[in-house]
Amino acid sequence: QITKPDENKSTSFYYTANESGSISIIDSQSNEVIKTLSTDGMTHNVQVSPDGKILGATVAAHMDEDQTEHGDMSEGQTEHGDMNEGQTDHGDMNMNGRVLFYDTETNELIKEVEVGNHPAHIVFTPDGKLALVTNNEDNNLYVIDMGKYEVTNQVDTGKGPHGLRISADGKYAYIANMGENTVSILDLSSFTEKDRIEVGNTPVTTGITSDGKTMVATVNGEDSLAIVNLENENIDKVLVGKGPAQVYIQHDDKYAFVANQGTEESPSNTVSKINLVTKTVEATIDVGKGAHGVVTSDDNKYVYVTNMYEATVSVIDSETNKVIATVPVDKEPNGISYK
């Protein structure tokens, strides 16, 4: 199901990280895949740089089918399986991951940078000078100088760092620590941990409002979104669907969209639209099985959601809260980014 192009809509694209080993590039006007980039490994997350010129993608080594990162997520399990004390997210495998950087105009690979064990998410600082990468198995964050494409710093985090976002002023990074129920707040001027806030059972990803006053985190083990007032660290929790994975705050800070993944055996297929002022769910939108990654268009008109268990992207009209297109991509689409 593909919608007709809008002649008044300028050309833009969205990108999916497919754990089967590729990146899908999709034209947002036609909602059709225009190119698929192959990656040698499990592509977990993608992010477009602030100027739109570079795409970064985290890649880990392929695992056997029964060891996949998002294997069975039965009740009480995290998004990355059971992470018992002393165990890594992927068993005993010790193999460094990589970040691939592409030119978004030519789709050519610019540089490949080695990082730590199981790189999870990548974000760019607002000025585009740095890329930050969480290493889920090493309990740290790597800082990549985008001028040199070199790792220039390593910062310790909590256990199992995963999704992260950076404040609009570029001063702080907010990292969800899946292994210990906390969010690390890193001071990016000194590359030190400023604070660590306990938000609940298994936080997966974070979001931060443009004024830097409110942080959100998906709490996978509690089927909720934690909304944190950073001035007093007061926390409100809003119930969402089963097994929430990613969250994205739209650009005017009015709504946060939560993708509810569930488990492979019992997948969820919804997105929760949360009003950040009233702290209530305004809509629950049916999408595909295993909703995981989520991002909005720059004008807030559309929401794009990866459906891990059916290899599609759902395109939501934010005004009607209805899916207007379903786009087939490669298997196990995970992270998603918009340009």
Side-chain angles (χ1 to χ4, degrees), residues 267-278:
S268 184
N269 66 331
T270 64
V271 169
S272 301
K273 180 179 182 178
I274 297 166
N275 186 314
L276 290 178
V277 176
T278 62

Side-chain angles (χ1 to χ4, degrees), residues 17-53:
N18 309 311
E19 293 196 341
S20 53
S22 67
I23 298 167
S24 297
I25 305 173
I26 304 153
D27 186 314
S28 68
Q29 188 174 11
S30 64
N31 286 316
E32 293 178 332
V33 176
I34 60 167
K35 192 173 183 64
T36 300
L37 306 175
S38 294
T39 59
D40 182 20
M42 186 176 67
T43 315
H44 184 77
N45 187 246
V46 284
Q47 187 68 40
V48 180
S49 62
D51 62 7
K53 294 181 178 180

Side-chain angles (χ1 to χ4, degrees), residues 186-290:
L186 300 187
D187 185 328
L188 297 183
S189 63
S190 61
F191 294 109
T192 57
E193 188 177 52
K194 170 180 175 271
D195 197 4
R196 194 179 295 187
I197 301 173
E198 187 165 335
V199 293
N201 185 2
T202 318
V204 177
T205 56
T206 65
I208 182 74
T209 53
S210 56
D211 62 7
K213 294 180 179 180
T214 303
M215 179 190 72
V216 298
T218 50
V219 185
N220 183 275
E222 298 177 18
D223 297 335
S224 67
L225 181 73
I227 302 176
V228 184
N229 181 330
L230 290 173
E231 294 178 325
N232 56 21
E233 297 192 4
N234 181 63
I235 299 176
D236 292 292
K237 290 184 180 177
V238 180
L239 286 176
V240 292
K242 290 291 184 182
Q246 288 195 20
V247 58
Y248 195 87
I249 298 175
Q250 71 178 39
H251 301 282
D252 61 6
D253 295 328
K254 185 174 181 181
Y255 293 107
F257 293 88
V258 175
N260 302 305
Q261 180 180 322
T263 69
E264 192 165 10
E265 289 184 347
S266 180
S268 184
N269 66 331
T270 64
V271 169
S272 301
K273 180 179 182 178
I274 297 166
N275 186 314
L276 290 178
V277 176
T278 62
K279 300 174 185 175
T280 57
V281 176
E282 279 202 9
T284 299
I285 305 160
D286 290 337
V287 288
K289 292 180 180 178

Side-chain angles (χ1 to χ4, degrees), residues 27 29 43 88 113 121 157-158 166 169 174 203 227 243 247 290 320 328 330:
D27 186 314
Q29 188 174 11
T43 315
T88 65
V113 179
H121 282 217
T157 63
I166 297 175
D169 60 11
Y174 302 85
I227 302 176
V247 58
T320 64
D330 277 358

